Amino acid sequence: MHVTSSNISPQGSLKLINGSRVAVIGGGPAGSFFTYFLLDLCERLDIKIHLDVFEAHSFTKTGPAGCNHCGGIVSESLVQMLATEGITIPKKVIQRGIDSYVMHTEMGVTKIETPLHEKRIAAMFRGVGPLGSEGVEWASFDRFLQEMTHDKGANIILERVKNISKEGRRYTVQTIKGTEGTYDLVAGAVGLNPHSLKLFENLKLDFRPPETTKTFICEFHLGAEEIHRLFGTSMHVFLLDIPRIKFAALIPKGDYVTFVMLGKDIDKKLVQTILESPAVKNCFPPEWDITKLYPCQCFPKINMAGAIQPFSDGLVLMGDCAVSKLYKNGIGAAYFAGKAAATTAVLHGISKSDFQKHYWPTCKKLNFDNFLGKMVFVVTTVIQKSNFLKKGVHRMVQNEQLIEGNKRFMSMVLWDTFTGSAPYKDILLRTIKPGFWGNFIYNIGAAMFGMGKKSTAGKTYRDTKELGKLYRKGDAIVTQGEVGDCLFVIQSGSVEVLHIQGKKEVYLATLKKGDFFGEMALFEKEVRSSTVRALDDVRALTVDKRMLLTRIQDDPSMAFRILQKMSSRIRELDNKLSRIKGSDRRNWDKRKEEREE
Ligand SMILES: Cc1cc2nc3c(=O)[nH]c(=O)nc-3n(C[C@H](O)[C@H](O)[C@H](O)COP(=O)(O)OP(=O)(O)OC[C@H]3O[C@@H](n4cnc5c(N)ncnc54)[C@H](O)[C@@H]3O)c2cc1C
């Protein structure tokens, strides 16, 4: 098949114009976010382009053939950001909402609850499910993203790219099945597959691929009931003194629990060592020999240091194959980088200098945060190796968790380090607060002199499978006259918007899944201008004003959708007003005629 059509841009322009052709190689998170935002911006600016996404995997296949090898956890704050962008992750994709984690070291077990209700994490399958899960209705995250880009107008080609060449300003892309096309812009989002990285190295540009190391993932099938009984809505994190291991985690999802090991060059021997450790074994039923029970396993690579020059004229790389996040939130990094590359291409241009000026700063910011992350992990490694430091950490966390309203210095630091809910910069800033070190030193001393506290592990689990807050039919989610500091995005159900005039309720609108409300509070200090009431059971994500404004500062295009919505609401109000004025006028004319008669 030859995908080159007559619709080629006139001169291989270094701007995207009507008729430009774009190839995205790799339809994982980075490729899909890039595609979505590129097509969205082109639509807003009325630029008609052709975009092909080449993807080697079929996300309908179980096991490694249809999966992008990942722990599959995303923070609720990322879910909120995406919802604000109009990307609502369906309920069936989120296998479990996780609201606590159990930290295991050789010195004990401590449960850390989410520091804030809206700081939970979601567990998902990237593919359609582990090997052996055939016939089960799993919903894959990557497939959801792929369908989203298809709905936006992308042409999906499920074939592996085997060659990219450049002639003049254009690139030719060839797949192993013989499909061939010529493009003005090539976006590389191929992850860390060495053969695919070679495609770009072979172009003899200044691009150098990222540094990587080997990790491990496997899935244990226990059945949904057993998973709920053993893990509830908690993930387990293991900080054990085993060389080369940074940390390991057990993440419950549906019928399975995913085991992830991160560190340096993980091999079979290290896997065996950690699976045989009492800390891990004790999480499973005693009759289980877990070292023999993981039919679905892999040793995927992870990005340890960003690529050099992941762009050139008409070419940009993003996600794992360029710059990602150290040990966590790779999906979030793919979103930031994918969107930054798309905004650069549409709003500025596709030359090397455009990407250098407008895309590279996002990568540099990720690189800098990873540098700070390495410092955080130096500290966690020191703690891993010292029994008395580990005792101090356990004691401090247990104390913080025992009393509601306690300042949770250590709990917040640990939660954000292992869940990806905040950048490493914020974590480091938290550790330089005066209370942190004073408290830590006191707890180390107290732990050494045996002033222990009860372990908090084993508390009853709350069922928070879904993210967001649940409101019952008739609940007022927002009340007119109240001070507001967040925006709401509806995940399910519907609400009515009412203006209260004395004892009268004036109906303004009905809002449904995907709609948002409360946005005026983001821009004004005024109180809420209307009441929003649930028409049935409603689940809504709340997006904190500070978080959203910080994101808008980094990426002003975040505000497009909000402005678009506000503008369409003003238009609707104008229409309503002119209808009311029209009917007033007709009534007035009618009354005038009657008077004259
Ligand atoms: C052990 C482990 C655990 C992790 N856990 C988490 C986690 O819990 N949360 C999180 O946010 N991140 C996690 N990550 C990181 C996360 O997986 C990555 O950062 C993220 O997947 C990067 O997305 P991407 O689109 O850049 O690459 P990928 O997800 O790797 O996608 C690349 C895509 O390109 C396709 N492709 C490759 N070559 C070709 C070709 N030649 N032709 C056509 N298609 C091609 C592939 O099939 C694939 O679909 C984890 C990583 C590892 C290794």
Side-chain angles (χ1 to χ4, degrees), residues 25-31 54-57 59 68-74 126 142 159-162 189-193 196 199 215-217 251 260-262 300-302 318-321 324 328-332 334:
I25 323 247
F54 294 89
E55 172 51 54
H57 279 144
F59 302 125
N68 276 330
H69 323 298
C70 157
I73 60 170
V74 290
R126 296 286 302 275
D142 287 22
E159 293 176 28
R160 177 173 290 279
V161 170
K162 71 159 190 198
V190 293
L192 295 168
N193 178 315
S196 301
L199 297 173
T215 64
F216 177 74
I217 304 188
I251 306 153
V260 176
M261 271 172 82
L262 299 175
K301 291 196 171 163
I302 200 163
M318 67 208 73
D320 270 11
C321 62
S324 185
K328 62 173 189 179
N329 200 15
I331 297 171

Side-chain angles (χ1 to χ4, degrees), residues 301-474:
K301 291 196 171 163
I302 200 163
N303 180 320
M304 294 297 290
I308 294 170
Q309 283 256 279
F311 49 82
S312 185
D313 284 337
L315 178 87
V316 61
L317 288 105
M318 67 208 73
D320 270 11
C321 62
V323 180
S324 185
K325 267 274 176 166
L326 183 73
Y327 296 134
K328 62 173 189 179
N329 200 15
I331 297 171
Y335 152 64
F336 294 133
K339 187 170 182 197
T343 333
T344 303
V346 180
L347 300 183
H348 303 284
I350 55 172
S351 71
K352 186 174 174 179
S353 62
D354 291 321
F355 289 122
Q356 171 87 47
K357 197 163 162 204
H358 303 285
Y359 166 62
W360 188 234
T362 301
C363 298
K364 277 208 306 207
K365 203 168 168 195
L366 287 169
N367 273 335
F368 180 66
D369 202 52
N370 288 340
F371 165 74
L372 300 180
K374 282 187 182 153
M375 286 162 59
V376 170
F377 277 100
V378 167
V379 177
T380 62
T381 309
V382 171
I383 294 174
Q384 261 166 289
K385 293 191 181 308
S386 156
N387 285 348
F388 78 93
L389 288 181
K390 275 190 271 200
K391 275 189 186 164
V393 170
H394 276 291
R395 194 182 186 285
M396 185 162 163
V397 172
Q398 284 166 9
N399 276 345
E400 288 173 357
Q401 304 281 311
L402 278 177
I403 300 164
E404 198 64 39
N406 258 359
K407 283 213 166 101
R408 300 192 167 186
F409 297 107
M410 185 62 89
S411 310
M412 291 272 274
V413 164
L414 290 172
W415 182 267
D416 289 340
T417 303
F418 298 108
T419 62
S421 297
Y424 288 115
K425 185 182 103 206
D426 293 4
I427 296 170
L428 270 186
L429 285 176
R430 251 179 243 138
T431 63
I432 53 175
K433 288 209 171 127
F436 182 88
W437 287 104
N439 230 311
F440 188 31
I441 292 164
Y442 166 76
N443 276 286
I444 295 169
M448 280 173 69
F449 292 107
M451 297 153 66
K453 290 262 166 154
K454 270 192 282 166
S455 166
T456 53
K459 272 190 182 179
T460 45
Y461 297 114
R462 280 173 280 151
D463 188 5
T464 50
K465 185 177 180 306
E466 293 169 43
L467 300 183
K469 261 191 190 163
L470 181 68
Y471 299 88
R472 296 291 177 200
K473 183 177 175 179

Side-chain angles (χ1 to χ4, degrees), residues 77-283:
S77 47
L78 178 62
V79 176
Q80 291 165 355
M81 280 297 127
L82 294 177
T84 317
E85 301 269 23
I87 303 173
T88 302
I89 305 177
K91 213 160 105 179
K92 61 184 183 165
V93 171
I94 296 182
Q95 296 292 324
R96 196 161 284 248
I98 290 183
D99 58 13
S100 57
Y101 75 70
V102 181
M103 181 179 69
H104 298 253
T105 73
E106 292 86 350
M107 293 298 114
V109 180
T110 306
K111 187 170 174 187
I112 305 179
E113 301 272 348
T114 173
L116 290 173
H117 185 76
E118 269 85 21
K119 251 197 164 201
R120 282 171 293 165
I121 42 181
M124 313 176 300
F125 279 118
R126 296 286 302 275
V128 82
L131 271 184
S133 64
E134 285 83 1
V136 183
E137 257 305 297
W138 301 107
S140 144
F141 176 64
D142 287 22
R143 188 166 180 207
F144 153 68
L145 293 179
Q146 193 176 62
E147 282 169 358
M148 175 186 85
T149 59
H150 179 257
D151 294 346
K152 266 270 174 221
N155 177 39
I156 313 284
I157 301 173
L158 291 181
E159 293 176 28
R160 177 173 290 279
V161 170
K162 71 159 190 198
N163 191 43
I164 307 172
S165 56
K166 190 174 186 199
E167 205 172 305
R169 279 188 176 171
R170 290 217 183 91
Y171 294 85
T172 300
V173 173
Q174 290 167 308
T175 72
I176 47 174
K177 289 193 181 162
T179 302
E180 190 176 308
T182 308
Y183 300 93
D184 303 283
L185 171 65
V186 169
V190 293
L192 295 168
N193 178 315
H195 301 291
S196 301
L197 287 168
K198 269 262 170 285
L199 297 173
F200 299 96
E201 288 177 83
N202 290 346
L203 287 168
K204 304 273 178 256
L205 306 167
D206 298 324
F207 167 68
R208 296 283 169 281
E211 280 172 33
T212 60
T213 191
K214 227 164 47 168
T215 64
F216 177 74
I217 304 188
C218 69
E219 309 277 354
F220 296 103
H221 181 258
L222 289 161
E225 257 178 47
E226 195 67 347
I227 295 278
H228 192 70
R229 188 180 70 78
L230 293 170
F231 300 98
T233 47
S234 287
M235 129 185 180
H236 289 240
V237 174
F238 303 90
L239 276 174
L240 304 175
D241 183 15
I242 300 175
R244 305 204 325 261
I245 296 185
K246 286 290 175 214
F247 69 95
L250 279 167
I251 306 153
K253 292 173 199 170
D255 283 3
Y256 287 79
V257 61
T258 305
F259 181 65
V260 176
M261 271 172 82
L262 299 175
K264 196 168 182 314
D265 292 329
I266 309 281
D267 54 24
K268 281 189 178 164
K269 209 166 148 221
L270 264 182
V271 174
Q272 197 78 7
T273 311
I274 197 157
L275 288 181
E276 278 171 357
S277 69
V280 177
K281 271 171 109 172
N282 288 343
C283 294

